[in-house]
Amino acid sequence: VVESGTLMPVLVHVYADPLFLYNLVAVTPQANLTGAVDGAINQTTVLTGVVAALFGFLTLGLVGLLSRQLRHLTIQLARIANGEHIRPRTGGLVCLSETDRIAVGIGALSERLEENQRLIDESRLGLEQRVSERTATLTATLHELQNAQEMLVQTEKMAALGRTVASFTHEINNPLGASVTALSKLQETVAEIQAAHVAKTLTGSAFSQGMATIAAAAEMVAHNLGRATSITGSLKHVAADQSHADIREFVLGDYLQEIITSLQPMFKRGVHTVRLKSAPDIRMTGNPAVFYQIISNLVINSLKHGFEGRQSGLIYLSADHDGDQVVISYSDDGIGKTGEQLSRMYEPFFTTKRGSGGTGIGMSVVYSLIHDELAGTIHCESEPGDGVRFTIRFPRARLSKEAP
């Protein structure tokens, strides 16, 4: 556009209207638009500066306020840490600042935690006291049970010895009775010879017959007294071991034979048989009564349980070395045991003869003696109708020395 001979730049805007079929053209000098834009920019710059200044003042104010509140909260927390209880003043929480409310809340939480800790401490002390009392009670009960167990062991030992003595009394009557009968016959024969000699009627044949009778009677007396002496000696030896826990050296095989001899009166003559086989070089130092208790209880178990309803019974007993251990094997050909009886065999007071005089102590005593006195093990195998087989093992270190 040329105005007053000067070329001026303008902005042209064309508006087309299809309905009225005409175009509207607007011409605006560029200088006018530039001035308007510059004015708007200047106003925007001023406004931005004002806003920035206000924002800065507000930020500084907020930072200062937060800093003071945080310092105040730090002080309150320090008081709580020192054990003070922060509580709201008169007027409640409404009159407090936010930091005071936080401090009061933390103080209340601290009090609750302290109370909970106090309750926990009291509960712990009470629990420790109850545990201590219960432990003392259990310890006392354990001591009583141990004493009772020792008494049961001693009772069973004396009971076994009593059974042996009773059987011995019955058994020794036979050789002593036979000896008395033989001595009576001997006295009668001597009296007849003396009477014939005084009457001058003693013949050579009568004298020879009388002397033969005297010799037979004397032989019978000697035999029966020897048998009685053997039984008495075995019983005396075993009874002394039972009554006194003396430590001495003995040969295991010989002592097992003494045990079987002392138990012989319990066997039915010619019906029950014990076969013993032992290595001759097993020398031990200890209390032999332990082995009497073990073997006698096993034998009594066979007689009372294994051979029940049987006309005869056979027991095998052996002792031998196995490396650094001694092995005692015991078996019978009795009626055997069920699985339940095997699993409960060593339980105190477990017996299948409760109504027939069984106490259920014997096998428990056997187990205790083997584990406690011999530091060994016992294992049993059995099936109904197939007898029992016991294997007892204990360290060879308990051997004192071997015979050459």
Side-chain angles (χ1 to χ4, degrees), residues 372-389:
D372 299 339
E373 299 295 333
L374 300 180
T377 61
I378 180 171
H379 176 70
C380 179
E381 296 179 355
S382 180
E383 292 181 1
D386 194 28
V388 295
R389 294 168 295 280

Side-chain angles (χ1 to χ4, degrees), residues 125-139:
L125 292 176
L127 180 61
E128 290 176 354
Q129 183 177 359
R130 288 195 297 271
V131 169
S132 178
E133 293 174 354
R134 184 65 58 84
T135 301
T137 302
L138 291 176
T139 301

Side-chain angles (χ1 to χ4, degrees), residues 303-312 335:
L303 296 177
K304 285 188 175 182
H305 303 279
F307 300 150
E308 182 181 19
R310 299 280 299 275
Q311 296 299 321
S312 63
I335 62 175

Side-chain angles (χ1 to χ4, degrees), residues 247-267:
I247 304 300
R248 64 180 179 88
E249 183 177 291
F250 60 95
V251 178
L252 182 58
D254 295 345
Y255 192 73
L256 292 178
Q257 182 60 62
E258 291 180 4
I259 294 174
I260 297 303
T261 302
S262 69
L263 296 175
Q264 198 69 40
M266 296 183 179
F267 303 147

Side-chain angles (χ1 to χ4, degrees), residues 216-260:
E219 183 179 358
M220 182 178 294
V221 170
H223 173 74
N224 284 283
L225 289 181
R227 182 182 174 196
T229 300
S230 175
I231 296 174
T232 304
S234 297
L235 177 66
K236 180 181 178 181
H237 202 177
V238 171
D241 290 333
Q242 290 293 101
S243 302
H244 306 284
D246 294 333
I247 304 300
R248 64 180 179 88
E249 183 177 291
F250 60 95
V251 178
L252 182 58
D254 295 345
Y255 192 73
L256 292 178
Q257 182 60 62
E258 291 180 4
I259 294 174
I260 297 303

Side-chain angles (χ1 to χ4, degrees), residues 340-351:
E340 180 184 2
Q341 292 171 346
L342 277 178
S343 63
R344 302 184 61 189
M345 180 187 304
Y346 306 115
E347 291 183 10
F349 308 110
F350 173 75
T351 177

Side-chain angles (χ1 to χ4, degrees), residues 59 171 198 313:
T59 301
E171 181 68 15
V198 172

